[in-house]
């Protein structure tokens, strides 16, 4: 077995967006922070994925700001760039190089099955960018360019992870290098990996929801957070005391999940503490907890984004460390493919 196959390495990434919300924090960042102590981790801001839908001069400026903003969020949430390289994808050209080779390994039939492309391209898939179509191939390259073994992602990314495994497997077979790429595993952890909309407990909390009251943004101030929680949709019954009582009550489940995620308590513990009480009492406690957790995070994000040059330095340093890992792997891939160096 090659050294690559038994060594654990975490890679994850998030698209740069100007509206990071509680779902991004509880569902992703909090887990990424935790994983730093257990494994070698790399965290990427996937700016190349961010041009698959919108592209052009108007988008360019907001992309730059969003890349810095998301980098600030990574750091404010507790990712230590000295321990875990933080970098933007476009500064590590090996991602794009490997993606091209993977475009030639992956089959059209595999990509045709991707449900996220169907959702994002909508009715007129012929008008979607080619980049949106091969998005999952670039994602496979993001992961495998480091031979990462573990990928913390949300449920909605599991199909893309399966594709990454299929690509890794086919590469290993086609080039007769059995253990060259590991088959990366999704890591889906934590009680609140799926944070739902505050307006509709059956829909994911999302930056694209029309109503700002559906989500808590990481940049919201204390009053806004409190107001959004106060107005969050609930049902008339008191807080459930058991999982059984929670069934069919998505809004109650969501608020309890959020409390658990923010406090670090289990869902059972939260139900033991608040079950049977009215939502208004629970919402007060939740809003205090949310403000106490998110206010320092927002303040740190503001401080960091106030010095863009410093953020850019962090990204450059991260990219350099990332390239030190990715470079030799891509060189070996190119040898396997038969490219003359
Ligand atoms: N597609 C992921 C998402 O929307 C983002 C992403 C791109 C990613 N490349 C990645 C996540 C590599 C994990 C690993 O959430």
């Amino acid at each position: 077995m090659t050294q690559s196959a038994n060594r654990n390495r975490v890679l994850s990434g998030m698209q740069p967006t100007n509206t990071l919300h509680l779902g991004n924090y509880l569902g992703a960042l909090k887990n990424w922070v935790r994983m730093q102590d257990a494994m070698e981790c790399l965290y990427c801001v996937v700016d190349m994925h961010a041009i698959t839908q919108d592209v052009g001069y108007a988008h360019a400026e907001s992309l730059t700001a969003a890349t810095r903003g998301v980098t600030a969020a990574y750091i404010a949430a507790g990712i230590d760039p000295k321990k875990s390289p933080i970098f933007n994808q476009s500064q590590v050209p090996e991602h794009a190089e490997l993606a091209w080779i993977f475009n030639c390994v992956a089959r059209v039939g595999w990509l045709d099955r991707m449900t996220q492309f169907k959702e994002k391209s909508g009715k007129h898939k012929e008008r979607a960018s080619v980049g949106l179509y091969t998005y999952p191939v670039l994602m496979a390259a993001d992961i495998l360019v480091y031979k990462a073994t573990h990928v913390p992602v949300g449920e909605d990314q599991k199909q893309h992870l399966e594709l990454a495994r299929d690509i890794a497997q086919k590469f290993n077979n086609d080039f007769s290098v059995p253990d060259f790429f590991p088959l990366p595993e999704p890591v889906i952890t934590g009680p609140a990996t799926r944070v739902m909309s505050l307006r509709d407990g059956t829909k994911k909390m999302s930056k694209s929801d029309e109503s700002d009251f559906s989500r808590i943004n990481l940049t919201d101030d204390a009053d806004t957070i409190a107001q959004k929680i106060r107005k969050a949709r609930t049902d008339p019954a008191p807080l459930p005391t058991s999982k059984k009582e929670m069934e069919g009550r998505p809004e109650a489940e969501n608020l309890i999940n959020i409390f658990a995620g923010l406090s670090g308590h289990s869902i059972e513990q939260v139900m033991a503490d608040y079950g049977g009480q009215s939502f208004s009492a629970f919402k007060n406690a939740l809003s205090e907890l949310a403000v106490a957790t998110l206010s320092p995070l927002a303040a740190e994000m503001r401080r960091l984004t106030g010095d863009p040059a410093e953020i850019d330095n962090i990204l450059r340093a991260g990219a350099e460390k990332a390239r030190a890992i990715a470079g030799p792997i891509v060189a070996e891939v190119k040898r396997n493919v038969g490219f003359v160096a």
Side-chain angles (χ1 to χ4, degrees), residues 6 13 16 63 66 72 112 165 210 315:
N6 50 33
L63 175 61
D112 278 342
R165 281 204 296 277
E210 275 169 38
L315 288 172

Side-chain angles (χ1 to χ4, degrees), residues 235 240-253 271:
D235 56 41
T241 56
S242 65
K243 286 239 161 126
K244 183 112 196 64
E245 269 180 44
M246 200 149 81
E247 271 170 33
R249 301 179 63 190
E251 283 83 18
E253 179 173 1
M271 285 193 291

Side-chain angles (χ1 to χ4, degrees), residues 11-15 46 49 135 139 142-143 151-153 157 160:
L11 178 288
S12 201
M14 212 181 264
Q15 285 203 36
V46 292
H49 278 115
Y135 176 120
M139 179 165 163
D142 295 340
I143 298 163
V151 185
V153 280
Q157 296 297 312
H160 290 165

Side-chain angles (χ1 to χ4, degrees), residues 20 38 72 106 152 173 197 247 249 253 261 263 273 278 291 312 319 323:
L20 279 180
N173 289 343
S197 157
E247 271 170 33
R249 301 179 63 190
E253 179 173 1
S263 63
D273 291 342
S278 71
V291 169
D312 296 359
R323 293 197 74 182

